[in-house]
Amino acid sequence: MKFHRDLPATRVFAFGTSKETATVPGPTIFATRGVPTHISWTNHLPPRHFLPWDSSLATARPRTGVPTVVQLHGGVQKSTSDGHSMAWFTSGFSATGPHFSSPAYSYPNEQPPGNLWYHDHAMGLTRVNILAGLLGAYRVSDPAAEAKLGIPSGGGEFDRNLVLFDRDFTSAGALFMNATGNNPTVHPQWQPEYFGSVVVVNGKAWPFLRVMQRRYRFRILNASNARFFKLSLSGGLRFVHVGSDSVYLANPVVTDEFLLAPSEMADVVVDFAETATTSGAVVLRSDAPAPYPGDPGEKADTVAVMKFVVARKPEHDPSVVPAALMTRYPMPDVREAVLTRRIAMYEYTKDGTDEPTHLYLNGLAYMDSVTETPREGTSELWEVINLTDDNHPLHVHLAVFAALEQRSLRSVDEFRECMRGSASGGAGGRNDAEACGLPRYLAGGRRHAVPRQERGWKNVFKVRPSTVTTLLVRFRPLEEEAEGRSGRFPFDVTAGPGYVYHCHVSYFGPRRQRDDEAY
């Protein structure tokens, strides 16, 4: 695949209906609400990976072949079609994970219209397989409801997906990934984060797009492993947000810039008619530190993402951005919560260094017993305690959630030591926020406002370091009242291997959750 005219062709892993038509990103899948999509995923990957694959991690371990399994991020589907990380399989099904059942997946698409994406989800290999190219965009449309809005929709020239990620290349055009770990005596090849110097949009490095003087809709996905994008437009142009992740907003929100985490999606409208008095070129750019948020006071360089070349001739534009969008969704209501859970993020380092060796949720490894058993038809309050130095985009499968507040912890080092107890170098520990006096450490802590464009229902939220983020997590269909389901999904959520939640910077260990059979 050619990422840039000045680079030789690059070897990739890619999705497609044939080797000749496969692309990075993979083909955008257009689905219609209420019309199921059925896909048989097959694996034609080679016997060996062409990127470093650290076998010291908890990972899929076939004797030969590259494991993969596909997750539809943001999709509402039974867990046997959810791309469980232990449902991986190799070419010809010569090896399969313990939760593999079938390569035939069914996506009901019985969810609100919005933006999703599909990507590799194999245990211990997600970061490597996505880096190799196994990702693509997916849309669920509701033509009747969306036509009433008047914004560009339905795909085509004025309604486009923009898939952003960063990569490094060798002079020979090969993808480059450091093969030496940051703690090589612990993990010979594992690096906790990956940052490439080249920004790629829809498979092209620093591309340009010719546009007319009119409104365009861009469904922007950050498919990077670890890089955050803080996006803005030159020439004073602004973004009008109409959706966040897989759900429309109730009302449009205008911003000059916004932060997009790995796996997060922003659905925006840009009016290029506002460039009539400028030079005719608009640059989409980013100035987020890497890693994010960086050191206090650190100022990141501004990097170009892509260029829009705007036609000089004015253009008739029949589209509008209405004052109200999708107002039919329920407002978040904390009174719905049946219980409160506390989820703590820990980072462990090698003695005598500040280099991480592993990261756990609630001090537990992925293969430990299931700890979260929400009941179908309920909502829960999750207090997510980030005891690491990084911003973590938290993603919950099956559910949607609303971010209610973020509060900084005071004396966070003291609180962290209490939470970790005797497990400063490993798993386990006290992990008892109540016993450690969480309210005392929150008293007087700064409150961070949830950005206006992120106050709707989402499936990814950026959990700031040294904060407690409160989420209202909804384990029930978003439009259950209109559909007469009384809190039930259109499939058995208790069947199969269950669902997970995890950070989407591609190195945080996921935790398992199951929906309880007791209602």
Side-chain angles (χ1 to χ4, degrees):
M1 175 172 171
K2 290 277 286 185
F3 283 93
H4 191 275
R5 65 187 179 192
D6 296 334
L7 274 177
T10 301
R11 184 184 184 185
V12 296
F13 291 164
F15 285 114
T17 55
S18 68
K19 183 175 182 179
E20 292 71 28
T21 60
T23 57
V24 177
T28 298
I29 298 174
F30 289 80
T32 301
R33 185 182 181 197
V35 180
T37 300
H38 303 286
I39 299 178
S40 290
W41 299 104
T42 57
N43 184 342
H44 299 280
L45 301 178
R48 296 177 59 85
H49 214 296
F50 68 89
L51 292 174
W53 174 6
D54 195 327
S55 60
S56 70
L57 303 172
T59 184
R61 298 179 186 275
R63 291 186 177 181
T64 184
V66 177
T68 189
V69 64
V70 181
Q71 203 263 323
L72 179 58
H73 176 115
V76 178
Q77 57 262 339
K78 56 186 179 181
S79 68
T80 51
S81 292
D82 196 53
H84 192 283
S85 60
M86 298 301 287
W88 53 265
F89 57 98
T90 59
S91 179
F93 308 103
S94 59
T96 58
H99 288 310
F100 175 82
S101 58
S102 169
Y105 277 25
S106 295
Y107 305 111
N109 300 316
E110 295 202 29
Q111 61 187 91
N115 302 303
L116 296 75
W117 67 298
Y118 60 97
H119 60 81
D120 175 87
H121 208 243
M123 184 67 180
L125 272 172
T126 299
R127 72 197 189 288
V128 180
N129 283 348
I130 289 179
L131 187 68
L134 294 182
L135 63 122
Y138 188 109
R139 301 183 183 189
V140 176
S141 66
D142 185 340
E146 293 179 278
K148 299 175 184 177
L149 301 178
I151 60 177
S153 62
E157 183 176 3
F158 308 117
D159 175 18
R160 295 174 175 264
N161 285 82
L162 297 181
V163 179
L164 281 53
F165 51 79
D166 58 334
R167 296 290 186 269
D168 269 332
F169 299 91
T170 68
S171 58
L175 287 171
F176 175 75
M177 186 179 189
N178 195 335
T180 302
N182 65 316
N183 261 320
T185 60
V186 180
H187 300 303
Q189 296 180 311
W190 178 73
Q191 290 277 348
E193 293 164 298
Y194 175 92
F195 299 106
S197 57
V198 178
V199 179
V200 178
V201 182
N202 290 358
K204 297 298 178 183
W206 301 303
F208 70 89
L209 176 67
R210 298 188 185 277
V211 296
M212 300 178 185
Q213 289 189 31
R214 58 154 292 157
R215 294 181 190 87
Y216 282 72
R217 180 179 183 178
F218 298 114
R219 304 165 187 251
I220 307 175
L221 161 66
N222 181 356
S224 301
N225 280 35
R227 182 178 295 280
F228 285 64
F229 289 104
K230 188 177 180 182
L231 297 172
S232 62
L233 292 162
S234 65
L237 265 69
R238 299 181 296 174
F239 305 97
V240 181
H241 296 256
V242 297
S244 183
D245 292 331
S246 59
V247 183
Y248 271 96
L249 298 173
N251 305 97
V253 175
V254 179
T255 66
D256 295 315
E257 62 182 18
F258 65 94
L259 185 67
L260 199 65
S263 82
E264 195 175 18
M265 301 190 76
D267 197 339
V268 301
V269 174
V270 176
D271 190 354
F272 291 104
E274 297 179 6
T275 64
T277 58
T278 67
S279 63
V282 175
V283 177
L284 179 65
R285 58 203 179 185
S286 172
D287 64 351
Y292 189 84
D295 296 326
E298 178 182 355
K299 183 173 176 58
D301 293 333
T302 299
V303 299
V305 174
M306 67 176 294
K307 178 189 287 187
F308 300 100
V309 180
V310 187
R312 295 185 178 183
K313 179 183 175 182
E315 190 73 24
H316 171 68
D317 186 358
S319 69
V320 297
V321 177
L325 295 163
M326 294 285 183
T327 58
R328 65 196 193 198
Y329 305 139
M331 295 293 291
D333 185 351
V334 295
R335 294 173 298 181
E336 294 180 356
V338 297
L339 60 83
T340 298
R341 297 186 191 274
R342 285 175 173 153
I343 311 294
M345 298 177 169
Y346 296 91
E347 179 177 85
Y348 303 95
T349 60
K350 182 180 178 182
D351 291 343
T353 76
D354 61 356
E355 294 291 346
T357 57
H358 55 290
L359 299 100
Y360 285 161
L361 295 168
N362 282 346
L364 298 172
Y366 175 70
M367 295 308 295
D368 288 333
S369 298
V370 173
T371 50
E372 280 64 60
T373 55
R375 290 181 297 158
E376 183 183 24
T378 68
S379 297
E380 299 182 352
L381 280 177
W382 285 19
E383 294 180 346
V384 184
I385 307 168
N386 185 354
L387 299 176
T388 80
D389 294 330
D390 294 308
N391 190 311
H392 292 287
L394 183 70
H395 173 51
V396 181
H397 288 218
L398 181 67
V400 292
F401 55 74
L404 304 180
E405 70 168 8
Q406 283 192 316
R407 297 175 64 185
S408 287
L409 290 160
R410 303 178 67 211
S411 303
V412 65
D413 292 339
E414 179 182 303
F415 180 68
R416 182 188 299 114
E417 288 308 307
C418 180
M419 289 286 284
R420 286 168 63 159
S422 61
S424 59
R430 192 174 190 181
N431 193 49
D432 188 336
E434 196 65 35
C436 288
L438 176 62
R440 177 166 60 90
Y441 290 98
L442 284 174
R446 178 184 173 187
R447 293 181 183 269
H448 302 272
V450 176
R452 291 179 58 227
Q453 72 273 14
E454 297 182 37
R455 294 180 188 175
W457 295 102
K458 291 175 59 64
N459 58 59
V460 174
F461 191 72
K462 298 173 283 290
V463 180
R464 293 171 181 257
S466 304
T467 65
V468 176
T469 301
T470 303
L471 307 174
L472 179 65
V473 188
R474 184 182 174 96
F475 294 99
R476 57 201 296 187
L478 196 54
E479 295 186 280
E480 58 181 342
E481 293 84 1
E483 296 167 356
R485 291 206 179 99
S486 301
R488 299 294 187 94
F489 291 99
F491 46 83
D492 183 0
V493 296
T494 66
Y499 302 88
V500 300
Y501 66 96
H502 56 88
C503 167
H504 231 292
V505 170
S506 298
Y507 67 94
F508 215 119
R511 286 295 301 142
R512 294 180 290 168
Q513 63 183 34
R514 290 191 67 105
D515 282 274
D516 205 323
E517 293 188 22
Y519 298 116

